[in-house]
Amino acid sequence: MTNVREASFELLRRHGMTTMFGNPGSTELPMLHDFPSEFRYVLALQEAVAVGMADGFAQASATVGHVNLHTAPGVGNAMGALFNAHANKTPLLVTAGQQVRAHITMGANLTNAESTTVPRPFVKWAFEPPRAQDVPAALARAIHCSALAPAGPSFISVPMDDWNAQVADDRDMALRRTVTGRAGAAPEVVAALARRIEGATNPCFVAGPGIDVSNAWRQAVALVERCRMTVFATPATGGGRLGFPENHPQFHGVLPPAIAPLAAALAPYDLVVCAGTSIFPYYPYLPGRPLAATTTLVAITDDPAEAARAPAGDAIVADVGITLQAVLVEVDGTDRPVPAALAAPVPATDTTPLSSARVYDVLAEILPVDAIVVLESPSSTGALRNRLRISRPGSYYFGAGGGLGFGLSAAVGVQLAQPSRPVVCVLGEGSAQYAITAFWTAAIYQVPVTFLVLRNDEYGILKWFADIESVTGAPGLDLPNLDVLATAASYGVPGQRAGGGSEDLRTKLLAALSSAGPALVEVPVSTGMALM
Ligand SMILES: Cc1ncc(C[n+]2csc(CCOP(=O)(O)OP(=O)(O)O)c2C)c(N)n1
């Protein structure tokens, strides 16, 4: 006979899900009993950090990630990170402990009385199996549910006495199933889109994270080159990943995130083809028509809800990569002129302290070609995108939900998923605090992320928002004496402060990049928003 635990680990093994992130409590220990040697448990010191690590790991490994949380309080701690994973559309199995079944009705200590309500609405499915022997099948269902488009977290609450229960011998029928769900658009829909592109006077293309997820950079590049389309990236607010090489001559930058300026940026084009993005991840609210009267739009997305809620344009609900490939086969080339290339950014000058733009010029000079950047430095997102011009697939991760704490934790997960590629995690000193204990995990597991912390002693972007919102006199926007360097060192991540200009920064960054373990560079930067 087999018990629930053995059957569940067998299921995870079959799906290649042998890395588990978590923070354990008494209700999770029965799951971890006799932990199989070919599995890896990555300990995070707080649940939001565990979810962020699993999110980065799942995205960078293109697998369903697994995070195990403590019962009610642990799931509560995880909610902000679950919001991010949901926004990132990250396939994630979230398991959580629950009281012994006999204890639930009497509401014993640590009972999660509303176990399937708590994680909503940030999970696609939340379930507590009605019988112990159903746990492996529920886990299987959650894995399939998470992976199917639109991908996202699914949640299973497991009463702690379930793990030692026996399972039926016919379990294999449920556990051996494969479920595949990538579907392209109907041929007539593909043909209609090809004709619209051929008939357009001045079409452009907007690349979203879904292109990276569906492994379709090649198709996106081939399509825009054949059809000579100008390319934009979807606004950075929702561009959790990149769908197009940003050093390509037809790339014209990142769209602004607010309604009116975004519509103005697209106004010169009579057709906008969007792939793998919502329409659009707007913020802040600057009202206006979503599109100019002369602009039409078609979005390709694998997310029906995203298609339905768009304020303008047509939508095709289908796998982005398969559909781009089909359009590529169908569409004729054009004799429209190739769009003029965007000017390279003007190098920033050395100042004391350095500007964020100058920091990114230095990073761009020394960043290894195969590097992965994980970004959470809110006031300088624009400057980083403009100056790094990241140009390889799977090389950029950003928390599309906007909840801070993703960057530092996800970077550890990304590096664990991609051990042979250098990972550089760029953080604001304020953002680092939301996942600060991830430094401990990076140190203990010797995860060799290079952390670059930009220190401006303030919540810089909030001062910019205050201007836009006509708010004056708001408290709580300054961060004096926040010493990330010392805090990271206390967790075991060595670091250096680069306060001596760009040469000093270059030297210290190179040293951090060549370190065998995690290393940190903190650089003082000037205040204010760095859009370019
Ligand atoms: C969980 C969470 N809490 C609060 C915020 C609001 N918030 C957005 S940006 C920001 C400031 C971040 O400061 P820092 O990392 O120092 O970056 P800077 O803006 O100075 O570049 C804050 C607090 C958020 N996005 N997420």
Side-chain angles (χ1 to χ4, degrees):
M1 288 291 273
T2 304
N3 67 26
V4 166
R5 183 175 47 252
E6 290 156 353
S8 299
F9 277 93
E10 187 186 328
L11 170 79
L12 296 173
R13 204 179 281 116
R14 277 200 200 137
H15 283 273
M17 296 168 60
T18 54
T19 299
M20 184 192 303
F21 296 85
N23 184 261
S26 51
T27 48
E28 292 68 52
L29 290 176
M31 180 189 193
L32 302 178
H33 173 69
D34 276 345
F35 196 71
S37 59
E38 75 277 27
F39 279 65
R40 166 168 67 171
Y41 185 86
V42 181
L43 177 60
L45 301 184
Q46 202 261 17
E47 288 83 356
V49 178
V51 172
M53 287 179 186
D55 185 342
F57 181 85
Q59 291 195 62
S61 61
T63 61
V64 179
H66 181 195
V67 59
N68 185 41
L69 306 174
H70 189 42
T71 177
V75 180
N77 279 348
M79 285 304 279
L82 278 177
F83 171 80
N84 284 334
H86 182 254
N88 290 334
K89 298 184 180 170
T90 302
L92 208 54
L93 170 66
V94 184
T95 49
Q98 166 68 302
Q99 254 296 1
V100 171
R101 283 183 186 266
H103 259 160
I104 294 175
T105 305
M106 64 183 86
N109 195 23
L110 284 177
T111 300
N112 191 350
E114 297 269 354
S115 61
T116 59
T117 308
V118 177
R120 291 193 170 106
F122 305 140
V123 294
K124 290 177 70 178
W125 186 53
F127 196 64
E128 188 171 282
R131 304 179 305 171
Q133 62 263 44
D134 299 332
V135 168
L139 295 174
R141 182 172 161 187
I143 292 167
H144 297 309
C145 179
S146 288
L148 288 168
S154 296
F155 176 86
I156 305 290
S157 164
V158 186
M160 58 192 284
D161 51 332
D162 284 6
W163 296 105
N164 289 321
Q166 300 299 306
V167 290
D169 286 333
D170 65 357
R171 68 184 186 284
D172 267 9
M173 295 184 72
L175 305 194
R176 281 192 185 281
R177 304 174 60 239
T178 60
V179 179
T180 54
R182 293 185 66 203
E188 67 275 13
V189 173
V190 171
L193 176 56
R195 301 293 90 76
R196 276 180 82 166
I197 297 172
E198 289 162 359
T201 310
N202 189 19
C204 74
F205 184 85
V206 177
I211 297 175
D212 206 32
V213 175
S214 65
N215 205 9
W217 277 48
R218 185 183 58 75
Q219 289 85 344
V221 171
L223 180 67
V224 304
E225 288 182 350
R226 178 171 312 160
C227 302
R228 300 187 174 175
M229 298 158 95
T230 302
V231 181
F232 298 97
T234 200
T237 39
R241 297 168 66 158
L242 305 187
F244 195 82
E246 302 204 335
N247 66 351
H248 189 283
Q250 283 168 240
F251 181 69
H252 273 222
V254 183
L255 286 173
I259 297 172
L262 198 160
L266 295 178
Y269 306 95
D270 58 336
L271 175 66
V272 182
V273 178
C274 299
T277 173
S278 69
I279 309 301
F280 282 100
Y282 296 118
Y283 203 68
Y285 182 58
L286 301 178
R289 286 177 63 107
L291 293 175
T294 49
T295 303
T296 64
L297 181 149
V298 182
I300 306 167
T301 171
D302 67 4
D303 183 346
E306 201 166 80
R309 69 171 191 259
D314 302 320
I316 298 170
V317 179
D319 181 84
V320 171
I322 293 173
T323 306
L324 287 177
Q325 176 65 37
V327 173
L328 190 58
V329 169
E330 177 75 25
V331 77
D332 285 336
T334 177
D335 53 8
R336 274 189 296 268
V338 178
L342 188 68
V346 178
T349 51
D350 268 355
T351 48
T352 308
L354 294 175
S355 63
S356 304
R358 184 69 194 128
V359 169
Y360 297 142
D361 282 346
V362 172
L363 180 61
E365 284 166 29
I366 62 168
L367 194 68
V369 282
D370 60 340
I372 299 174
V373 174
V374 183
L375 175 63
E376 194 171 279
S377 179
S379 65
S380 61
T381 303
L384 181 138
R385 289 287 289 279
N386 188 42
R387 285 164 196 278
L388 259 50
R389 302 270 173 103
I390 294 166
S391 294
R392 288 190 174 199
S395 301
Y396 175 86
Y397 297 93
F398 177 89
L404 299 178
F406 170 82
L408 173 43
S409 47
V412 175
V414 167
Q415 181 76 84
L416 287 167
Q418 294 286 343
S420 61
R421 294 181 64 183
V423 173
V424 178
C425 177
V426 180
L427 297 168
E429 90 275 39
S431 297
Q433 309 307 320
Y434 296 78
I436 197 81
T437 60
F439 283 131
W440 180 86
T441 305
I444 290 297
Y445 293 83
Q446 280 298 287
V447 189
V449 176
T450 299
F451 297 99
L452 172 60
V453 177
L454 278 67
R455 179 172 177 175
N456 57 8
D457 294 320
E458 63 177 15
Y459 283 153
I461 196 170
L462 297 188
K463 294 187 175 176
W464 178 79
F465 269 111
D467 273 353
I468 290 183
E469 296 171 18
S470 304
V471 169
T472 54
L477 303 184
D478 290 310
L479 297 177
N481 298 326
L482 199 46
D483 191 342
V484 180
L485 186 66
T487 311
S490 78
Y491 282 117
V493 173
Q496 300 198 73
R497 184 163 290 134
S502 44
E503 254 330 296
D504 184 39
L505 175 64
R506 183 179 293 110
T507 309
K508 288 173 177 162
L509 263 179
L510 281 170
L513 275 164
S514 62
S515 159
L520 181 142
V521 175
E522 185 200 74
V523 58
V525 291
S526 50
T527 56
M529 196 72 175
L531 291 168
M532 298 296 286

